[in-house]
C-alpha cells in the first residue's frame, strides 16, 4: 500500500520529512518515547495539522491521544526516505567545496558513503584528501560501473557539466547532486541542485527590503 | 511603485529570479541583445507564461514582439535582488565548509564580501585561510557592530547555534546564512538555511523510488 501511495507524494512533503526525521533523532537521543503533533510542530514551527496531514500521506502513524512513538516514526521516515539503505557517492571536482564535502562526516552517518574524489587536474590526481584518493576523471565512467556508484556530486565549473552529465546518463549512476552554477535537467538521472549563490541572492532580497 | 509591489512578491518568484539573472548574465556575455520569454523559458525549463508572469509582478519589462532587452532586464533583476549593493559577510566556524565558503570566489563577484572567519578553537584563532584571518568568536559581537556586518554565515555544530543566534539578534547583523543542521527561526533576523543532509535525503527518496 505504501508503494502506491508514494507515487502521489508532493515534493513539498518530501522536503519536510528530513526535518521531521532530524527532530525525531534528537528526541530519541533525549530519551523521549512519544511526541504529539502539537509538540513536534512547535519545535519545527510547522502547524500540527500540517504534520498530521504529511504523515497521513504514508498511511497511519501513532494512536489518537498518545502521540507518535518516536523511534518507530523515525524508522519509518528513514525507510520512506530510503536512508535505511547504503548509497555510494563520488565527488567530481577536488576544489574547496569538493574537499569540504568529502570530509563532512554527517553524510556517512545517514548512509551516504563517499568512495572517491575525481578531478581533471593532473597536479591533483593521485593526491589524497583524508582517506580518499583523487582519481583521474577520465576513469570516472569505468569506476561508476565497476563500483555501483549511485550518486555523482558535481563541484565543478559550469563548463565541465555537459560532459559529466553525458557520463552520468550513459552510466548506471542514478543521481546527480549538483553544486555547480549550471541548471541541470535530465530525463534519466535524479538531480538535486544546491545553488549557493542563488541562496545568497534570496537572502539579499529579504535583507534589502527589511532595511528599507 | 516597485517598492510597494515588492511587498507582495512570493518566495517562489524570489527563488526563480537568481536563475533568470544567471541566464541573462550568460546571454549578455554571449553578446545577445534581446531574448523572448519563450527562449528564456526553454533554457531554464520554465514555461514562457511563468516567466512573463514573474517579471510582470515587478512592473513592465520588454516590448511585445521584441523580447526582453538582456542587459536592462539583468540590471533590473540585480536591483530587485539587491545584488547591485555590497554586502558584508563573516563566517562563523573555520572547519571544512567554512574554509571552502571563504575561498569561493563567486560570492564576491555578486557583491558579497567576506570580511573574516571566526572560530572558538584557540588552535585555529590567529591562523589564516587565504587572505582572511581566523578571529576569536568572543570578539564577534564587537566586530559585527564596528564593521557593519550584514550577514553571518554559520558553519558550526548545532550546539553552537543558540549562542550565535543570541549574538545575531542583539547585534546589527541583518541576516544569517545557516549551514548548521539546526532549524533556525528568528523574528528579527532574515534566515536562509542550507541543509546539505536534507538535500541528500530528498535525493535518496527519489533514487530509491526510481530503482523500484
Amino acid at each position: 500500500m505504501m508503494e502506491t501511495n508514494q507515487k502521489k507524494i508532493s515534493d513539498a512533503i518530501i522536503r519536510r520529512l528530513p526535518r521531521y526525521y532530524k527532530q525525531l533523532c534528537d528526541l530519541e537521543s533525549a530519551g523521549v518515547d512519544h511526541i504529539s503533533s502539537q509538540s513536534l510542530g512547535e519545535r519545527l514551527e510547522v502547524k500540527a495539522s500540517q504534520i498530521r496531514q504529511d504523515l497521513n500521506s504514508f498511511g497511519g502513524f501513532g494512536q489518537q491521544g498518545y502521540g507518535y512513538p518516536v523511534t518507530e516514526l523515525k524508522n519509518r521516515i528513514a525507510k520512506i526516505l530510503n536512508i535505511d539503505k547504503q548509497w555510494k557517492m563520488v565527488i567530481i571536482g577536488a576544489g574547496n567545496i569538493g574537499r569540504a564535502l568529502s570530509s563532512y562526516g554527517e553524510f556517512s552517518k545517514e548512509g551516504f558513503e563517499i568512495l572517491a574524489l575525481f578531478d581533471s587536474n593532473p597536479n591533483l590526481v593521485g593526491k589524497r584528501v583524508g582517506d580518499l584518493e583523487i582519481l583521474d576523471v577520465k576513469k570516472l565512467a569505468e569506476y561508476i560501473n565497476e563500483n555501483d556508484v549511485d550518486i555523482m556530486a558535481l563541484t565543478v565549473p559550469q563548463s565541465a557539466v555537459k560532459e559529466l552529465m553525458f557520463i552520468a546518463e550513459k552510466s548506471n549512476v542514478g543521481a546527480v547532486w549538483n553544486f555547480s552554477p549550471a541548471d541541470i535537467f535530465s530525463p534519466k538521472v535524479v538531480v538535486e541542485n544546491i545553488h549557493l549563490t542563488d541562496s545568497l541572492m534570496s537572502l539579499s532580497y529579504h535583507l534589502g527590503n527589511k532595511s528599507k
Side-chain angles (χ1 to χ4, degrees), chain A:
Chain A
M1 192 188 91
M2 231 166 71
E3 301 276 305
T4 52
N5 270 359
Q6 283 197 16
K7 305 292 178 202
K8 301 172 228 155
I9 305 306
S10 79
D11 196 53
I13 297 180
I14 298 309
R15 293 199 177 273
R16 283 192 291 270
L17 287 183
R19 300 179 52 210
Y20 299 167
Y21 175 77
K22 205 189 151 296
Q23 279 296 329
L24 291 162
C25 290
D26 291 351
L27 289 163
E28 189 183 46
S29 301
V32 178
D33 276 340
H34 283 75
I35 185 143
S36 65
S37 53
Q38 193 67 40
S39 307
L40 194 55
E42 278 163 18
R43 287 170 151 259
L44 290 159
E45 299 222 346
V46 170
K47 281 185 190 150
S49 57
Q50 169 97 82
I51 291 176
R52 288 195 298 270
Q53 203 182 326
D54 285 356
L55 296 179
N56 278 339
S57 7
F58 300 97
F61 287 100
Q63 210 180 328
Q64 193 70 38
Y66 288 89
Y68 297 111
V70 169
T71 301
E72 192 193 322
L73 182 58
K74 188 204 82 172
N75 291 338
R76 285 185 67 181
I77 292 179
K79 209 171 149 67
I80 292 164
L81 290 172
N82 299 309
I83 51 174
D84 57 338
K85 300 178 182 63
Q86 287 287 316
W87 298 105
K88 293 180 188 168
M89 176 155 68
V90 293
I91 296 171
I92 328 299
N96 294 309
I97 301 277
R99 285 158 183 263
L101 292 181
S102 75
S103 316
Y104 194 59
E106 296 299 310
F107 305 145
S108 63
K109 275 204 284 180
E110 303 301 348
F112 300 92
E113 189 195 356
I114 300 172
L115 299 185
L117 275 153
F118 286 83
D119 208 285
S120 59
N121 182 343
N123 296 325
L124 292 177
V125 172
K127 296 233 166 85
R128 300 191 78 86
V129 178
D131 294 336
L132 302 177
E133 197 184 344
I134 303 177
L135 305 176
D136 190 333
V137 76
K138 286 192 194 112
K139 296 185 186 151
L140 177 63
E142 194 186 328
Y143 187 94
I144 287 172
N145 292 337
E146 276 177 8
N147 294 278
D148 292 324
V149 173
D150 302 296
I151 304 168
M152 270 168 63
L154 303 187
T155 61
V156 295
Q158 181 156 357
S159 55
V161 167
K162 202 171 175 178
E163 204 177 322
L164 291 169
M165 284 308 295
F166 184 80
I167 294 174
E169 296 189 340
K170 286 273 175 191
S171 73
N172 297 327
V173 89
V176 164
W177 197 25
N178 174 39
F179 286 76
S180 88
D183 265 316
I184 299 181
F185 309 102
S186 169
K188 275 201 63 184
V189 177
V190 176
V191 180
E192 175 82 11
N193 293 298
I194 301 269
H195 287 156
L196 296 177
T197 310
D198 292 11
S199 159
L200 264 187
M201 289 181 183
S202 169
L203 203 68
S204 72
Y205 169 82
H206 293 291
L207 197 50
N209 288 24
K210 185 188 171 195
S211 49
K212 264 172 202 160

